[in-house]
Amino acid sequence: MVIIITRTLLTYGFIVLFFRLMGKREIGELSLLDIVIFIMMAEIAVFSIEDPNNPISHAIVPMFLLVIIQRLTAYISLKSKRFRDWFEGKPSLIIANGQVDENEMRRQRYNFDDLMQQLHEKSVKGVQDVEYAILEPNGKLTVFEKEQPQSSGFVHLLIMDGEIQYDALKTLNKSVQWLEAELLKKGYSELDQISYCTIDQAKNWFIDLKDER
């Protein structure tokens, strides 16, 4: 037991030291390499503690090597934008001029649930209030709202990615037939071609078609 406690304290001390050497970054700003290194260090630390028969150097040396790799790639990233773009990725324009770019979302494996969650986290009611939205390499969504909000009151999401949101219809006490009839009046006969459709408390509709550029 004493050996395990000692190895745990030593491993903890080395990990703290190595993380200090890697520099200060917020969790949300970690690059892909940082995340991989943290996971690998955690695995190495677990193996080191679970198997007291192996010398602790078998854990410290790989951790130190990971720190060297991280420092080296960070230095190259500072010197080369091409390397930084290739290694860490580029920002992706998800919403441009108020329209959703579904092609870019598919390339980034980014779905409407992700988009709506991150918009709501920024107190944005819906796509109609966004001029531009940029998906950063670290997964955060940067949102530039329109100068004049397009929505009024609560926004009900009726269609998302071509699928009817039945819970919203239930909240409005409306039927699918009502939705189809209203959209037909506006010239939309195929619901599965609608990427995003909402109605707010002032009865303002917002409709974005799939792959409409």
Side-chain angles (χ1 to χ4, degrees):
M1 182 61 70
V2 175
I3 294 176
I4 292 177
I5 293 174
T6 303
R7 291 173 71 94
T8 301
L9 293 175
L10 285 173
T11 303
Y12 171 80
F14 277 112
I15 289 177
V16 171
L17 174 62
F18 291 153
F19 280 6
R20 291 296 301 273
L21 291 174
M22 289 170 62
K24 296 180 180 179
R25 302 183 71 173
E26 293 183 8
I27 295 298
E29 296 177 351
L30 297 179
S31 67
L32 177 62
L33 177 65
D34 293 332
I35 295 173
V36 171
I37 286 179
F38 287 177
I39 292 174
M40 292 182 67
M41 279 194 172
E43 291 293 329
I44 293 171
V46 170
F47 292 145
S48 172
I49 295 171
E50 286 184 344
D51 189 1
N53 294 323
N54 280 334
I56 196 169
S57 60
H58 287 185
I60 303 305
V61 172
M63 287 183 184
F64 184 68
L65 180 59
L66 289 173
V67 172
I68 294 175
I69 293 173
Q70 190 273 341
R71 298 276 292 189
L72 180 61
T73 53
Y75 176 79
I76 298 175
S77 294
L78 288 174
K79 298 296 183 180
S80 172
K81 185 180 184 303
R82 179 178 297 181
F83 177 84
R84 185 166 62 249
D85 290 342
W86 173 81
F87 200 84
E88 298 185 2
K90 297 180 181 180
S92 300
L93 195 59
I94 300 299
I95 300 175
N97 298 316
Q99 288 188 330
V100 180
D101 189 340
E102 290 86 1
N103 287 326
E104 187 61 30
M105 289 179 65
R106 285 192 288 268
R107 279 194 290 269
Q108 300 301 324
R109 306 295 188 269
Y110 188 75
N111 58 50
F112 267 94
D113 288 327
D114 298 327
L115 176 61
M116 297 311 302
Q117 178 182 338
Q118 291 190 293
L119 288 180
H120 291 162
E121 287 174 352
K122 296 180 180 298
S123 300
V124 178
K125 297 177 184 177
V127 173
Q128 59 266 46
D129 295 327
V130 178
E131 190 70 33
Y132 294 95
I134 302 170
L135 184 62
E136 306 292 353
N138 61 8
K140 286 186 176 181
L141 189 70
T142 301
V143 177
F144 298 92
E145 298 183 58
K146 294 179 179 177
E147 292 185 4
Q148 296 295 329
Q150 303 297 304
S151 61
S152 177
F154 189 81
V155 175
H156 299 274
L157 179 57
L158 301 177
I159 298 177
M160 183 171 66
D161 203 17
E163 296 184 0
I164 297 174
Q165 305 300 300
Y166 294 99
D167 288 343
L169 288 177
K170 185 177 180 180
T171 300
L172 291 168
N173 196 25
K174 299 293 184 180
S175 65
V176 174
Q177 290 73 24
W178 168 84
L179 176 60
E180 292 174 340
E182 289 296 318
L183 290 174
L184 189 59
K185 292 178 185 177
K186 301 177 184 301
Y188 303 100
S189 58
E190 298 181 9
L191 272 62
D192 59 350
Q193 294 303 310
I194 296 176
S195 173
Y196 179 86
C197 173
T198 63
I199 185 173
D200 63 19
Q201 285 184 301
K203 308 303 180 184
N204 296 315
W205 289 77
F206 179 82
I207 301 170
D208 184 89
L209 295 178
K210 289 185 177 181
D211 302 323
E212 181 184 31
R213 303 300 298 162

